[in-house]
Short mmCIF file of all heavy atoms in Angstrom, two decimals:
data_model
loop_
_atom_site.label_atom_id
_atom_site.label_comp_id
_atom_site.label_asym_id
_atom_site.label_seq_id
_atom_site.Cartn_x
_atom_site.Cartn_y
_atom_site.Cartn_z
N GLY A 1 105.64 102.77 99.26
CA GLY A 1 105.74 102.93 100.72
C GLY A 1 106.15 101.69 101.43
O GLY A 1 105.80 101.47 102.59
N ILE A 2 106.81 100.77 100.74
CA ILE A 2 107.23 99.53 101.39
C ILE A 2 108.32 99.78 102.32
O ILE A 2 109.39 100.38 101.99
CB ILE A 2 107.72 98.46 100.32
CG1 ILE A 2 106.54 98.17 99.31
CG2 ILE A 2 108.21 97.20 101.01
CD1 ILE A 2 105.41 97.41 99.89
N GLU A 3 108.15 99.36 103.61
CA GLU A 3 109.17 99.52 104.67
C GLU A 3 109.34 98.21 105.39
O GLU A 3 108.65 97.21 105.16
CB GLU A 3 108.72 100.58 105.63
CG GLU A 3 108.53 101.97 105.03
CD GLU A 3 107.95 102.97 106.01
OE1 GLU A 3 107.51 102.50 107.08
OE2 GLU A 3 108.00 104.15 105.73
N ALA A 4 110.38 98.18 106.28
CA ALA A 4 110.56 96.98 107.09
C ALA A 4 109.36 96.80 108.08
O ALA A 4 108.76 97.77 108.46
CB ALA A 4 111.86 97.10 107.85
N PRO A 5 109.02 95.52 108.36
CA PRO A 5 109.66 94.28 107.93
C PRO A 5 109.09 93.80 106.57
O PRO A 5 107.90 93.89 106.33
CB PRO A 5 109.27 93.31 109.06
CG PRO A 5 107.93 93.80 109.51
CD PRO A 5 107.97 95.32 109.40
N ALA A 6 110.02 93.39 105.72
CA ALA A 6 109.56 92.96 104.40
C ALA A 6 110.51 91.87 103.86
O ALA A 6 111.66 91.85 104.22
CB ALA A 6 109.49 94.10 103.44
N ILE A 7 109.96 91.02 103.05
CA ILE A 7 110.75 89.95 102.36
C ILE A 7 110.86 90.37 100.89
O ILE A 7 109.89 90.78 100.30
CB ILE A 7 110.07 88.62 102.50
CG1 ILE A 7 110.12 88.14 103.93
CG2 ILE A 7 110.71 87.55 101.58
CD1 ILE A 7 111.49 87.79 104.46
N ILE A 8 112.07 90.23 100.36
CA ILE A 8 112.30 90.50 98.92
C ILE A 8 112.53 89.21 98.18
O ILE A 8 113.39 88.41 98.56
CB ILE A 8 113.55 91.43 98.75
CG1 ILE A 8 113.42 92.68 99.57
CG2 ILE A 8 113.79 91.68 97.22
CD1 ILE A 8 114.72 93.45 99.71
N VAL A 9 111.62 88.92 97.24
CA VAL A 9 111.71 87.69 96.47
C VAL A 9 112.17 88.00 95.05
O VAL A 9 111.51 88.73 94.30
CB VAL A 9 110.33 86.94 96.42
CG1 VAL A 9 110.44 85.61 95.70
CG2 VAL A 9 109.76 86.83 97.77
N VAL A 10 113.33 87.48 94.66
CA VAL A 10 113.90 87.66 93.36
C VAL A 10 113.76 86.34 92.57
O VAL A 10 114.32 85.35 92.98
CB VAL A 10 115.34 88.17 93.43
CG1 VAL A 10 115.89 88.41 92.01
CG2 VAL A 10 115.48 89.39 94.30
N GLY A 11 113.08 86.41 91.45
CA GLY A 11 112.94 85.25 90.66
C GLY A 11 111.67 85.23 89.83
O GLY A 11 110.73 85.95 90.09
N ALA A 12 111.59 84.35 88.82
CA ALA A 12 110.43 84.28 87.91
C ALA A 12 109.16 83.94 88.64
O ALA A 12 108.06 84.25 88.15
CB ALA A 12 110.73 83.26 86.82
N VAL A 13 109.24 83.34 89.84
CA VAL A 13 108.00 82.92 90.54
C VAL A 13 107.19 84.13 90.94
O VAL A 13 105.98 84.00 91.13
CB VAL A 13 108.35 82.08 91.81
CG1 VAL A 13 108.90 80.70 91.48
CG2 VAL A 13 109.35 82.86 92.71
N ALA A 14 107.84 85.30 91.05
CA ALA A 14 107.10 86.55 91.39
C ALA A 14 105.98 86.81 90.44
O ALA A 14 104.98 87.44 90.78
CB ALA A 14 108.03 87.70 91.52
N ASP A 15 106.13 86.38 89.13
CA ASP A 15 105.13 86.66 88.17
C ASP A 15 103.83 85.90 88.36
O ASP A 15 102.80 86.17 87.82
CB ASP A 15 105.67 86.30 86.74
CG ASP A 15 106.30 87.56 86.11
OD1 ASP A 15 106.11 88.65 86.60
OD2 ASP A 15 106.98 87.39 85.08
N LEU A 16 103.93 84.76 89.16
CA LEU A 16 102.72 83.92 89.45
C LEU A 16 101.72 84.63 90.28
O LEU A 16 100.56 84.24 90.34
CB LEU A 16 103.19 82.60 90.04
CG LEU A 16 104.02 81.69 89.15
CD1 LEU A 16 104.59 80.55 89.98
CD2 LEU A 16 103.25 81.17 87.99
N ARG A 17 102.17 85.65 91.00
CA ARG A 17 101.25 86.30 91.92
C ARG A 17 100.00 86.83 91.18
O ARG A 17 98.86 86.81 91.71
CB ARG A 17 101.93 87.52 92.57
CG ARG A 17 101.00 88.51 93.27
CD ARG A 17 101.71 89.64 93.96
NE ARG A 17 100.81 90.72 94.29
CZ ARG A 17 99.98 90.71 95.31
NH1 ARG A 17 99.91 89.71 96.12
NH2 ARG A 17 99.20 91.80 95.51
N GLU A 18 100.14 87.29 89.93
CA GLU A 18 99.07 87.87 89.18
C GLU A 18 97.91 86.89 89.05
O GLU A 18 96.74 87.27 88.99
CB GLU A 18 99.54 88.28 87.82
CG GLU A 18 98.48 89.02 87.01
CD GLU A 18 99.01 89.52 85.62
OE1 GLU A 18 100.23 89.52 85.43
OE2 GLU A 18 98.20 89.89 84.80
N ARG A 19 98.25 85.57 89.04
CA ARG A 19 97.25 84.56 88.81
C ARG A 19 96.75 83.85 90.09
O ARG A 19 95.64 83.37 90.17
CB ARG A 19 97.71 83.48 87.87
CG ARG A 19 97.75 83.97 86.39
CD ARG A 19 98.32 82.88 85.48
NE ARG A 19 99.78 82.81 85.56
CZ ARG A 19 100.50 81.79 85.06
NH1 ARG A 19 99.93 80.78 84.52
NH2 ARG A 19 101.82 81.82 85.19
N ILE A 20 97.66 83.79 91.14
CA ILE A 20 97.25 83.00 92.31
C ILE A 20 97.23 83.83 93.58
O ILE A 20 97.20 83.23 94.67
CB ILE A 20 98.17 81.75 92.46
CG1 ILE A 20 99.60 82.15 92.64
CG2 ILE A 20 97.97 80.83 91.29
CD1 ILE A 20 100.52 80.97 92.91
N ALA A 21 97.32 85.15 93.53
CA ALA A 21 97.11 85.94 94.78
C ALA A 21 95.77 85.59 95.38
O ALA A 21 94.74 85.46 94.74
CB ALA A 21 97.15 87.39 94.37
N TRP A 22 95.82 85.46 96.69
CA TRP A 22 94.53 85.01 97.39
C TRP A 22 94.24 85.79 98.66
O TRP A 22 93.14 86.16 98.94
CB TRP A 22 94.55 83.52 97.71
CG TRP A 22 95.73 83.13 98.62
CD1 TRP A 22 97.03 82.90 98.26
CD2 TRP A 22 95.68 83.04 100.05
NE1 TRP A 22 97.80 82.64 99.43
CE2 TRP A 22 97.02 82.70 100.48
CE3 TRP A 22 94.68 83.17 100.99
CZ2 TRP A 22 97.33 82.52 101.82
CZ3 TRP A 22 94.95 83.02 102.33
CH2 TRP A 22 96.31 82.66 102.76
N PHE A 23 95.29 86.08 99.44
CA PHE A 23 95.12 86.62 100.75
C PHE A 23 94.60 88.02 100.70
O PHE A 23 93.64 88.40 101.43
CB PHE A 23 96.45 86.58 101.50
CG PHE A 23 96.40 87.07 102.91
CD1 PHE A 23 95.69 86.36 103.89
CD2 PHE A 23 97.14 88.18 103.33
CE1 PHE A 23 95.69 86.82 105.20
CE2 PHE A 23 97.14 88.62 104.58
CZ PHE A 23 96.42 87.90 105.51
N GLU A 24 95.16 88.84 99.84
CA GLU A 24 94.78 90.24 99.74
C GLU A 24 93.44 90.44 98.97
O GLU A 24 92.95 91.57 98.89
CB GLU A 24 95.86 91.08 99.09
CG GLU A 24 97.15 91.10 100.01
CD GLU A 24 98.40 91.53 99.22
OE1 GLU A 24 98.28 92.52 98.51
OE2 GLU A 24 99.41 90.87 99.32
N ASP A 25 92.92 89.39 98.37
CA ASP A 25 91.70 89.50 97.63
C ASP A 25 90.45 89.29 98.50
O ASP A 25 89.29 89.40 97.99
CB ASP A 25 91.63 88.49 96.46
CG ASP A 25 92.61 88.86 95.36
OD1 ASP A 25 93.03 90.02 95.34
OD2 ASP A 25 92.97 88.00 94.51
N ARG A 26 90.63 89.00 99.73
CA ARG A 26 89.44 88.73 100.61
C ARG A 26 88.67 90.05 100.82
O ARG A 26 89.23 91.17 100.81
CB ARG A 26 89.90 88.16 101.97
CG ARG A 26 90.52 86.75 101.76
CD ARG A 26 91.02 86.17 103.05
NE ARG A 26 92.01 87.01 103.68
CZ ARG A 26 92.44 86.83 104.94
NH1 ARG A 26 91.97 85.84 105.64
NH2 ARG A 26 93.38 87.57 105.41
N PRO A 27 87.36 89.90 101.03
CA PRO A 27 86.47 91.17 100.95
C PRO A 27 86.75 92.15 101.97
O PRO A 27 86.53 93.42 101.74
CB PRO A 27 85.03 90.55 101.13
CG PRO A 27 85.27 89.16 101.71
CD PRO A 27 86.55 88.71 101.18
N LEU A 28 87.31 91.86 103.12
CA LEU A 28 87.55 92.83 104.18
C LEU A 28 89.03 93.13 104.33
O LEU A 28 89.41 93.79 105.32
CB LEU A 28 86.97 92.37 105.55
CG LEU A 28 85.45 92.15 105.56
CD1 LEU A 28 85.00 91.70 106.92
CD2 LEU A 28 84.68 93.40 105.15
N PHE A 29 89.84 92.67 103.37
CA PHE A 29 91.28 92.90 103.53
C PHE A 29 91.63 94.42 103.57
O PHE A 29 91.13 95.23 102.80
CB PHE A 29 92.07 92.29 102.39
CG PHE A 29 93.56 92.39 102.57
CD1 PHE A 29 94.22 91.50 103.38
CD2 PHE A 29 94.27 93.42 101.96
CE1 PHE A 29 95.58 91.60 103.56
CE2 PHE A 29 95.64 93.54 102.19
CZ PHE A 29 96.28 92.61 103.02
N GLY A 30 92.49 94.74 104.57
CA GLY A 30 92.94 96.13 104.70
C GLY A 30 91.95 96.99 105.51
O GLY A 30 92.27 98.20 105.70
N ARG A 31 90.81 96.44 105.92
CA ARG A 31 89.87 97.23 106.71
C ARG A 31 90.15 96.98 108.19
O ARG A 31 90.36 95.86 108.60
CB ARG A 31 88.47 96.79 106.39
CG ARG A 31 88.08 96.85 104.94
CD ARG A 31 88.02 98.28 104.41
NE ARG A 31 87.53 98.33 103.01
CZ ARG A 31 87.40 99.47 102.38
NH1 ARG A 31 87.59 100.65 102.96
NH2 ARG A 31 86.95 99.47 101.09
N ARG A 32 90.13 98.09 108.92
CA ARG A 32 90.23 97.94 110.40
C ARG A 32 88.82 98.16 111.00
O ARG A 32 88.24 99.24 110.87
CB ARG A 32 91.21 98.99 110.97
CG ARG A 32 91.34 98.87 112.54
CD ARG A 32 92.37 99.88 113.03
NE ARG A 32 93.70 99.38 112.87
CZ ARG A 32 94.78 100.13 113.10
NH1 ARG A 32 94.63 101.41 113.46
NH2 ARG A 32 95.97 99.64 112.92
N LEU A 33 88.36 97.09 111.63
CA LEU A 33 86.97 97.13 112.12
C LEU A 33 86.97 96.93 113.62
O LEU A 33 87.76 96.14 114.16
CB LEU A 33 86.13 95.98 111.43
CG LEU A 33 86.06 96.04 109.92
CD1 LEU A 33 85.39 94.82 109.33
CD2 LEU A 33 85.35 97.34 109.48
N VAL A 34 86.01 97.55 114.27
CA VAL A 34 85.89 97.54 115.75
C VAL A 34 84.86 96.57 116.15
O VAL A 34 83.70 96.58 115.68
CB VAL A 34 85.58 98.94 116.30
CG1 VAL A 34 85.41 98.92 117.80
CG2 VAL A 34 86.73 99.95 115.91
N VAL A 35 85.16 95.71 117.10
CA VAL A 35 84.21 94.75 117.70
C VAL A 35 83.90 95.27 119.08
O VAL A 35 84.79 95.40 119.94
CB VAL A 35 84.80 93.33 117.74
CG1 VAL A 35 83.86 92.39 118.60
CG2 VAL A 35 84.95 92.81 116.35
N THR A 36 82.63 95.56 119.36
CA THR A 36 82.23 96.18 120.62
C THR A 36 81.63 95.16 121.60
O THR A 36 81.12 95.56 122.65
CB THR A 36 81.16 97.23 120.35
OG1 THR A 36 80.05 96.70 119.67
CG2 THR A 36 81.77 98.39 119.57
N ARG A 37 81.68 93.89 121.25
CA ARG A 37 81.16 92.86 122.18
C ARG A 37 82.02 92.75 123.44
O ARG A 37 83.18 93.15 123.39
CB ARG A 37 81.05 91.51 121.50
CG ARG A 37 80.31 91.47 120.15
CD ARG A 37 80.07 90.09 119.74
NE ARG A 37 78.85 89.50 120.23
CZ ARG A 37 78.53 88.20 120.22
NH1 ARG A 37 79.37 87.34 119.67
NH2 ARG A 37 77.44 87.74 120.71
N SER A 38 81.47 92.15 124.45
CA SER A 38 82.25 91.91 125.66
C SER A 38 83.43 90.97 125.34
O SER A 38 83.41 90.22 124.35
CB SER A 38 81.40 91.29 126.74
OG SER A 38 81.00 89.96 126.35
N ARG A 39 84.48 91.05 126.16
CA ARG A 39 85.64 90.22 125.93
C ARG A 39 85.29 88.79 125.88
O ARG A 39 85.86 87.98 125.11
CB ARG A 39 86.69 90.48 127.01
CG ARG A 39 88.08 90.07 126.66
CD ARG A 39 89.05 90.54 127.73
NE ARG A 39 89.11 91.94 127.86
CZ ARG A 39 89.66 92.81 127.08
NH1 ARG A 39 90.34 92.34 126.00
NH2 ARG A 39 89.67 94.10 127.25
N GLU A 40 84.30 88.36 126.67
CA GLU A 40 83.91 86.93 126.68
C GLU A 40 83.27 86.53 125.40
O GLU A 40 83.29 85.30 125.03
CB GLU A 40 82.94 86.70 127.87
CG GLU A 40 83.51 86.93 129.22
CD GLU A 40 83.50 88.39 129.64
OE1 GLU A 40 83.07 89.24 128.86
OE2 GLU A 40 83.86 88.68 130.83
N GLN A 41 82.68 87.43 124.67
CA GLN A 41 81.92 87.10 123.46
C GLN A 41 82.58 87.52 122.16
O GLN A 41 82.21 87.10 121.06
CB GLN A 41 80.50 87.76 123.49
CG GLN A 41 79.57 87.15 124.51
CD GLN A 41 78.26 87.81 124.44
OE1 GLN A 41 78.07 89.01 124.64
NE2 GLN A 41 77.19 87.05 124.14
N ALA A 42 83.64 88.35 122.26
CA ALA A 42 84.23 88.93 121.12
C ALA A 42 84.85 87.95 120.14
O ALA A 42 84.93 88.13 118.90
CB ALA A 42 85.26 90.00 121.44
N GLY A 43 85.30 86.81 120.67
CA GLY A 43 86.08 85.80 119.88
C GLY A 43 85.48 85.40 118.57
O GLY A 43 86.12 85.37 117.54
N SER A 44 84.16 85.04 118.56
CA SER A 44 83.57 84.50 117.41
C SER A 44 83.46 85.55 116.32
O SER A 44 83.82 85.26 115.14
CB SER A 44 82.19 83.93 117.74
OG SER A 44 81.31 85.01 118.27
#
């Protein structure tokens, strides 16, 4: 289901992802969470 906007990387470097992927491994990645605090306090 890959759609625009997307970057296509062609090259052997793409194989390095298996070992050094970091961003998508974070515990809440892909979760949409609601913050109900007031606008003045929501930032933290």
Side-chain angles (χ1 to χ4, degrees):
I2 300 292
E3 299 176 345
I7 292 293
I8 303 167
V9 184
V10 182
V13 291
D15 269 347
L16 294 170
R17 168 178 163 78
E18 185 177 347
R19 285 178 283 167
I20 61 175
W22 60 277
F23 184 64
E24 295 164 46
D25 287 344
R26 295 180 300 170
L28 299 180
F29 184 81
R31 305 292 184 177
R32 179 178 280 169
L33 302 173
V34 177
V35 171
T36 57
R37 305 189 89 195
S38 67
R39 198 171 302 281
E40 295 84 355
Q41 289 183 301
S44 58

